[in-house]
Amino acid sequence: MLGFETVVGLLLPSWEELQLSVAAAAFLIVAYWFLTLGDGVDHRTLVETSAGRPAEVDDDEKESKGDRHSNSAYLIKSLFQVKLLAAKNLRGANLNGTSDPYAIISCGAEKCFSSMVPGSRNPIWREGFNFAVDELPVKIIVTIYGWDIIRRSAVLGSVTIPVEHEGRTGAIWYTLDGASGQVCLHIKTHKLQVDSPRVLDGCSGANTRRKAFADQGPMVFHQKHGPLQTIFNLLSDEIVEHSYSCALERSFLYHGRMYISAWNICFHSNVFSKQIKVTVPFGDIDEIKRSRHAIINPAITVILRVGAGGHGAPPLGNGDGKVRYKFASFWNRNHVLKNLQHAVQKYHTMFEAEKKEREPSTLLDFIKEKQQPALLYFVKEKKMPTLPAHSSSSFRSSESQSNISEEIVAKIEQFQPFIKEEVLTTIYNDVFPCTAEQFFKFVLDDGSTFTNEYHTARKDFNLIVSQWHASSEYNGQVRDVKYRTLCNFPLCPPDIPVTEFQHTVLSADKKKLVFETVQQTEGVPFASYFEAHCRWSVETVSESSCKVDITFGAYFKKWCLLQSKIKSAAVDDNKKVYKIRLDAARSYITKSRTSNIASSSTATQENN
């Protein structure tokens, strides 16, 4: 009997164990509710009227409390607002028969993302999106997607709505072209005065302003492309001012990297091969504030203006109509928040300065358009200052640009180094059967096929080789070589994009050639931390030979824990790579010289 009581005591839990289990279960329930339902999404019921249209609160007059900027410098003719109210009877994309729907509203090249409503086939949004167009009619495309944690989002249906005239349509249900489902939209269109002081509270607002400054005139930049260009396809004058490792809050935390420029906040993540790219213009931001993820994880919430919509990925919704993005897992949240707030303040200051500089030029254009020669003569007589045609957002100055002194020109002519010499280590040296001038002609010249043949032999693909062109920043010529190469590293995708910036300069006597490269990769661990720098020094030693010295090194733009190991591994790996590349170059040069000699002999015999 004693043995039976002992067995029962072992099998049945004690009172203390029961209390602990109940407390743990309660904690898990509260945590689950906080993570899944505490994201601020409005789940109120949408009531339908007898006419089959949902009753809505008319909040056309509601505007965000952020600063307003004058829009007088931009000739905008029509502004229309699309209110995404709700959807019903959507197709279930999840295994449990529900969906996590969000919408993308497109008008021309502009796209806005709505928030994602988790676990619903009848989502309610009540979110507005503003678009500015030159003239009507236009077409609005609304596409409903089902968010997937790992795979590409599934299309649940779409509808195309033509907007042909001004006015408002009311709330109307539109049938999607998918298997089932309808979406409820309210569209309002009205004229916007040329000199209206209002600014567009929409996703197209900041982008339109950015393009307006970009279209002022041809801009020539010789700086190397960075992640803002290769990942987000932004203009070449945007550079990364700050970069931080963080995570975007969605169904779970998508870890990636945040980039801050003078115009945008960008975020890129590639988790389980699911690419997420978010670009938030500073002009669409209403507030940046501290927040928390899962109580203990400090975060930053970026709140957008009413009508702005999301950019690149569905944001988090809220009852006030302002969508938001939440970023967490910072090493130093307060430091990042301070830099973000400073960047927004700097943007608004720059925007006001841009606007003041553009006003005189815009007045002249308006007078010319209205064909008022008397006014134009008066303005010219008063010598009203105008904006230089080739100014750019990155290089503004309040001083006059008409007279540039010779001292400034002399400073500009001082060329910058293309690579970091302090990181270079000798990895290869040999003698080639050609002169330095012939080495450039056979291997590097625009007419040479060596680059194409070499990358084809390596099984690289999507090769793009630009033409050599003179550089005002670096002495000599520069070009870009882009391709995708196979990657056998376990933590990398099957193939990765590579961008190689090349620089070459040939001495006046054509006996010395310097060929330098800066290589950037994506998709490999710590790829954003370092660049591969290499220099080829080619010097003619006789009429038919030259000496080639190659130095290589990994330049780290910021410190990381595995820096020394990455440096040594990069040097060892590239010793093999450049040995193969030089062997291929030697073979190509020998073949080219033989072909040239044979052609010369044939031509001589024909002449005789």
Side-chain angles (χ1 to χ4, degrees), residues 546-578:
C546 65
K547 182 177 65 174
V548 179
D549 294 323
I550 298 181
T551 53
F552 176 86
Y555 167 65
F556 277 79
K557 297 177 285 187
K558 49 190 172 182
W559 183 87
C560 72
L561 186 62
L562 303 177
Q563 183 167 320
S564 59
K565 291 186 178 180
I566 294 176
K567 281 185 176 181
S568 59
V571 171
D572 293 339
D573 291 342
N574 280 274
K575 282 182 179 179
K576 304 174 184 178
V577 171
Y578 282 101

Side-chain angles (χ1 to χ4, degrees), residues 300-551:
I300 294 175
T301 299
V302 179
I303 304 175
L304 305 185
R305 298 179 183 274
V306 173
H311 305 271
L316 301 175
N318 200 45
D320 58 1
K322 299 179 183 180
V323 297
R324 58 201 64 203
Y325 287 101
K326 182 182 287 188
F327 301 94
S329 301
F330 292 99
W331 283 102
N332 189 337
R333 191 270 309 270
N334 293 336
H335 175 72
V336 179
L337 179 64
K338 180 180 178 181
N339 285 335
L340 282 174
Q341 293 173 341
H342 176 72
V344 173
Q345 182 181 5
K346 181 179 177 182
Y347 164 81
H348 288 303
T349 303
M350 180 177 63
F351 180 77
E352 290 295 335
E354 298 275 7
K355 183 180 63 177
K356 292 179 180 178
E357 288 182 356
R358 286 181 57 86
E359 284 176 354
S361 177
T362 305
L363 178 60
L364 286 175
D365 295 339
F366 178 76
I367 294 173
K368 291 178 181 178
E369 181 180 353
K370 296 301 181 181
Q371 297 180 353
Q372 299 289 339
L375 288 176
L376 181 61
Y377 176 78
F378 173 76
V379 172
K380 288 184 176 180
E381 284 294 317
K382 293 298 183 182
K383 297 182 179 180
M384 182 174 291
T386 58
L387 187 68
H390 298 281
S391 62
S392 71
S393 61
S394 298
F395 305 101
R396 303 291 182 190
S397 175
S398 59
E399 300 177 358
S400 175
Q401 301 292 324
S402 59
N403 297 322
I404 303 177
S405 64
E406 296 181 358
E407 296 180 358
I408 298 178
V409 174
K411 292 182 179 179
I412 295 176
E413 291 299 326
Q414 294 179 357
F415 299 111
Q416 301 180 11
F418 190 79
I419 60 176
K420 300 293 183 180
E421 298 185 10
E422 62 271 16
V423 302
L424 300 180
T425 303
T426 301
I427 62 172
Y428 194 85
N429 54 76
D430 200 353
V431 177
F432 267 58
C434 64
T435 62
E437 183 181 8
Q438 291 173 340
F439 186 92
F440 177 83
K441 177 182 177 182
F442 291 138
V443 178
L444 303 176
D445 192 41
D446 289 331
S448 172
T449 60
F450 171 75
T451 302
N452 291 326
E453 293 182 8
Y454 171 72
H455 286 285
T456 301
R458 280 171 40 93
K459 299 182 179 180
D460 299 334
F461 56 98
N462 292 352
L463 176 65
I464 302 176
V465 183
S466 65
Q467 298 288 316
W468 288 108
H469 57 275
S471 172
S472 61
E473 186 176 0
Y474 311 105
N475 184 23
Q477 302 182 89
V478 294
R479 73 175 180 183
D480 300 344
V481 178
K482 299 180 180 180
Y483 58 92
R484 298 189 71 91
T485 186
L486 302 179
C487 182
N488 299 321
F489 193 70
L491 300 179
C492 297
D495 57 85
I496 58 175
V498 179
T499 302
E500 188 173 275
F501 306 98
Q502 298 183 351
H503 165 251
T504 183
V505 57
L506 187 64
S507 63
D509 58 2
K510 298 183 180 181
K511 292 184 177 181
K512 292 183 180 180
L513 171 69
V514 176
F515 173 57
E516 299 172 327
T517 63
V518 175
Q519 194 176 89
Q520 298 175 350
T521 58
E522 300 175 25
V524 299
F526 301 100
S528 61
Y529 283 69
F530 69 95
E531 298 173 336
H533 290 202
C534 182
R535 170 181 291 167
W536 302 40
S537 299
V538 184
E539 184 177 0
T540 301
V541 294
S542 67
E543 295 181 355
S544 60
S545 64
C546 65
K547 182 177 65 174
V548 179
D549 294 323
I550 298 181
T551 53

Side-chain angles (χ1 to χ4, degrees), residues 8 31 72 76 221 243 253 275 292 327 376 431 530 572 599:
V8 171
S72 61
I76 298 173
F221 295 91
S243 177
L253 293 178
Q275 292 253 8
R292 289 189 177 275
F327 301 94
L376 181 61
V431 177
F530 69 95
D572 293 339
S599 300

Side-chain angles (χ1 to χ4, degrees), residues 29-49:
I29 292 173
V30 172
Y32 177 80
W33 175 86
F34 182 85
L35 293 176
T36 57
L37 302 180
D39 55 0
V41 178
D42 186 7
H43 299 282
R44 294 174 296 177
T45 304
L46 192 67
V47 182
E48 293 193 17
T49 64

